[in-house]
Amino acid sequence: MNLAAALDRATGILESAGVPNPRVDAELLAGHILGISRGGVQARVATDSSIGTDEAYELAEFVERRAAREPLQHITGVAYFRSLELAVGPGVFVPRPETESVAQFAIDALRAVASSEPVGVDLGMGSGAIALALATEVPHARVYGVEVSPRAFVWARQNFRSVAAPNATPVFIDLADALPELDGLVDVVISNPPYIPLGAIPRDPEVRLHDPELALYGGEDGLDVVRQVSATARRLLRHGGTLVLEHGELQAAPIAALLQQDGWHAISHHRDLTGRDRATVALR
């Protein structure tokens, strides 16, 4: 089959199913099957290349799954985060592009620490994306990733092995009880906690049907886990240490009030590339 025709058909099916960016997903699925980049797929289309029968059948199967709104990353088994290629699948939250900019605040804070071995902690690491980004981009730091979900921890442990950052340690424990041996010694704590209120159902089927509830919902007001992150971070951080929190676009004000009540200082809010409030940074 002609590759261009196969992609046109795939794009039409995905578009009819309401998939955002259907052409992009069709090209990424084809690239995954062919073992080439999306640019490589486009180059083959430009040269009027063909796709084998087995590959065409596999593409049709993948397109059917994507049209049912199964996340692209679950189909390919891969999610990209900053410079990392991570394994993901059912049971773990798929890292989002907006979180890449949130991680930058923690990376910058770690780099600014006047120590030969600053310490960073990711509370509720999921796939390990943030913790591994910190460890690989600040290689002189010691980084710990904390996760309580057994299913998510399996994926995280796999990613820690594949990235093989010697300064990164995964820890299976509830974040409320995490790392007492580091009390008062940590320089940076970051967390992308579950922050969706129980009454707010995510619009996207990929999120609503496939992301684990443990990674999505944060109680009646969405801030139950944020409260615990605040308490644990205050215990772990040294005086002057940095807390970085990802949150929903309407939560900056209530999170600021929560952090002020807990005694945090220099609280600041930061928007993502779409102009939405996405991160809050505070000092111990």
Side-chain angles (χ1 to χ4, degrees), residues 91-109:
V92 71
F93 185 78
V94 175
R96 306 294 200 260
E98 57 267 27
T99 304
E100 296 186 12
S101 61
V102 179
Q104 188 66 55
F105 293 110
I107 290 167
D108 291 343

Side-chain angles (χ1 to χ4, degrees), residues 198-212:
L198 286 177
I201 305 300
R203 292 185 297 269
D204 296 335
E206 290 86 346
V207 177
R208 186 174 66 249
L209 301 177
H210 295 281
D211 277 328

Side-chain angles (χ1 to χ4, degrees), residues 8-23 26 63 67 69:
D8 287 344
R9 181 176 180 277
T11 301
I13 293 171
L14 296 178
E15 186 173 19
S16 296
V19 173
N21 306 310
R23 183 69 181 193
V63 168
R69 306 306 291 270

Side-chain angles (χ1 to χ4, degrees), residues 221 223 250-259 269:
D221 62 356
L223 300 181
L250 302 178
Q251 293 176 319
I255 284 177
L258 185 161
L259 295 179
H269 306 300

